Structures are given as structure tokens and as C-alpha cells.
Amino acid sequence: EIAHQVLKTDFRHITPDKSKIILIEAGPRVLPSFKPKLSQMAQRDLEKMGVTVRTKTKVIQINEDQVVLENGNIDASTIAWSAGVTPSALAKVLRTDLDAKGRVVINSDLSLKDDPSVLVLGDMAAFKSGETVLPGVASVAIQQGRYIKKLIAADLAHKTRPHFKYFDKGQMATIGRKKAVVQVGNIAFSGTIAWFAWLFVHLYYLIGMRNRAMVFAQWAWSYLTFRRGARLITPPRVSEDN
């Protein structure tokens, strides 16, 4: 949208039609935490917007003007990396079991396997709920923090620790203008309704009516005018050797 709509009338020497956007995903599908049907819809929407989606493709290295893949290279002037967060290095110091992503494998009360006095939560914890490991997102960390408050109170009262149970409020992702996917339990939908649901939820969780009104006004302006924030063209970086 930035390349084909926002920049179109801003710069005389930029030809958006020549831009090419490539999305690289190491897994078999985009948005793997969503139902396969929603992943397919998201990929379809991206491709309609002109994005080339390459799944089952692993990035080996990122250079200044090139992305190195297992099966070739891609030359690019603009590279965006959005593969999530890395657990704290403290996890390795604990000398306990870690999962493939480096997160600490914990018990049902968020404690270490060999030390119930050490509690781990948030994106550093690998807590298995059913068949899946909870993602390192804010909603999980908030619920775990509230749970630990109850757990400490139980310890002080010499009562049995309760087990942590995660309440899944669902998840949503915006793809583009009037394009989004929403999944709440067994309910899944996409398109314009999902996009408006995404807008409503994000406005609802902002603190204060003033913040909600300001963000809503900014979003409305961007939607009606196809405008974005400041666009800056920076000069090329000069190496220290020159």
C-alpha cells in the first residue's frame, strides 16, 4: 500500500509500479497460529495486493542489499525482518530444559521442573496448553502475571498451588486496507468485517477516551486520504573506509 498508493503522488523520481514486495516464510504457510483456512485467505489477499509469497523458504543471512536463502539469493534495497522476539539469555543460565526457540520448559504452575521456587512467565516461558505452546504475546503474560499473584498468596497461606489455565480471547491480524483475519475459538472469519473488528478491539484497549479519539481520527484521515506519516529519503550510508 505504501509503495503503490502512498508514494505514487509524493515523489517524481519514484516509480511504484516497478516495486516488488516478497514475503518469505520458513514454515509451510503464513500466519501459522491461525487455522489453515484463514492462512490461505491471508495469502490470497496478499497476492491480490501484489505481494509474492514464498513459503517453506528459510533465510540464512541478511546482508546490506541482499537476503541469502537456502536455495538462492534475493537482491533488495529495503529489508524488513519481523520474525518475533528472542528469549532472554537468562534462560540458558538456569540450566534447565529449553525448547527449540530457547524458551524455558515449565510445569503447570509456571515453575521450573527441578525448582518450584523459580517461576517463569511471558515470552521466556514455553507453557504447553493442550497440544500447542502459548505464544509470547502480551495477553498470555498478563494472565500469567495475575496467576502468579494468586500462586504467591497460596504459598504464603500454605495452600496447594492452583494450576495455570489460559483463557484464549482469540487472535486477529490485519493484512491491509479492509483485509484482516479473526479467530476466536471455533469462530473464524476474514475480510471487511474482520478488519472493522480489528479496529474496534485495538481502539477499545487504548487507555482513555482522548487517546481513542486521537487514534480514531488519525486512522480515519489515513483511510479517507490514503495518507501516512512523514516520508523521509535518507542519503546512502558511507562506509568508514571512504
Side-chain angles (χ1 to χ4, degrees):
E1 290 178 346
I2 292 176
H4 295 285
Q5 296 173 358
V6 178
L7 297 180
K8 190 172 183 179
T9 58
D10 282 10
F11 303 104
R12 291 175 297 175
H13 301 294
I14 293 180
T15 52
D17 294 338
K18 294 183 179 180
S19 64
K20 185 176 182 180
I21 296 91
I22 304 173
L23 173 63
I24 302 172
E25 168 61 49
R29 57 191 176 93
V30 298
L31 299 179
S33 61
F34 287 80
K35 295 179 181 295
K37 182 179 179 180
L38 290 182
S39 292
Q40 294 173 4
M41 292 178 177
Q43 181 169 339
R44 179 199 63 194
D45 287 339
L46 287 169
E47 290 172 345
K48 285 183 178 179
M49 296 167 64
V51 178
T52 300
V53 180
R54 295 181 58 174
T55 57
K56 299 180 181 179
T57 304
K58 185 176 293 185
V59 176
I60 303 300
Q61 183 178 341
I62 296 177
N63 300 323
E64 184 176 355
D65 296 313
Q66 188 181 69
V67 178
V68 181
L69 309 174
E70 284 183 322
N71 53 355
N73 303 327
I74 298 177
D75 295 327
S77 299
T78 303
I79 304 171
W81 176 264
S82 57
V85 297
T86 301
S88 169
L90 178 62
K92 298 179 181 179
V93 179
L94 296 176
R95 296 181 181 179
T96 187
D97 294 340
L98 306 178
D99 69 355
K101 295 183 179 180
R103 297 175 296 185
V104 179
V105 179
I106 52 179
N107 296 319
S108 60
D109 60 355
L110 307 188
S111 65
L112 292 184
K113 285 187 174 182
D114 301 323
D115 192 345
S117 65
V118 179
L119 305 174
V120 184
L121 73 157
D123 53 23
M124 188 174 170
F127 183 87
K128 195 168 185 179
S129 178
E131 297 298 322
T132 61
V133 176
L134 296 181
V137 295
S139 59
V140 175
I142 291 171
Q143 291 186 40
Q144 289 176 337
R146 291 171 178 167
Y147 160 80
I148 285 180
K149 174 186 175 182
K150 298 178 181 178
L151 183 146
I152 293 174
D155 285 352
L156 293 175
H158 303 288
K159 296 181 179 180
T160 303
R161 287 182 170 184
H163 296 295
F164 173 69
K165 294 181 180 180
Y166 175 65
F167 176 69
D168 188 3
K169 297 181 180 179
Q171 55 183 334
M172 51 181 57
T174 178
I175 311 302
R177 187 181 180 89
K178 294 194 291 186
K179 297 180 179 67
V181 291
V182 174
Q183 178 178 307
V184 182
N186 293 324
I187 302 174
F189 55 98
S190 63
T192 304
I193 297 177
W195 186 72
F196 278 113
W198 182 89
L199 293 177
F200 172 79
V201 169
H202 282 74
L203 286 174
Y204 177 80
Y205 279 101
L206 290 177
I207 299 175
M209 285 301 301
R210 180 180 178 183
N211 289 332
R212 296 189 186 111
M214 290 177 61
V215 172
F216 177 78
Q218 292 172 356
W219 284 355
W221 175 258
S222 297
Y223 178 81
L224 295 173
T225 64
F226 289 90
R227 308 292 292 178
R228 293 293 188 273
R231 269 84 71 195
L232 303 176
I233 296 182
T234 59
R237 286 175 292 179
V238 179
S239 64
E240 296 180 356
D241 298 334
N242 294 341

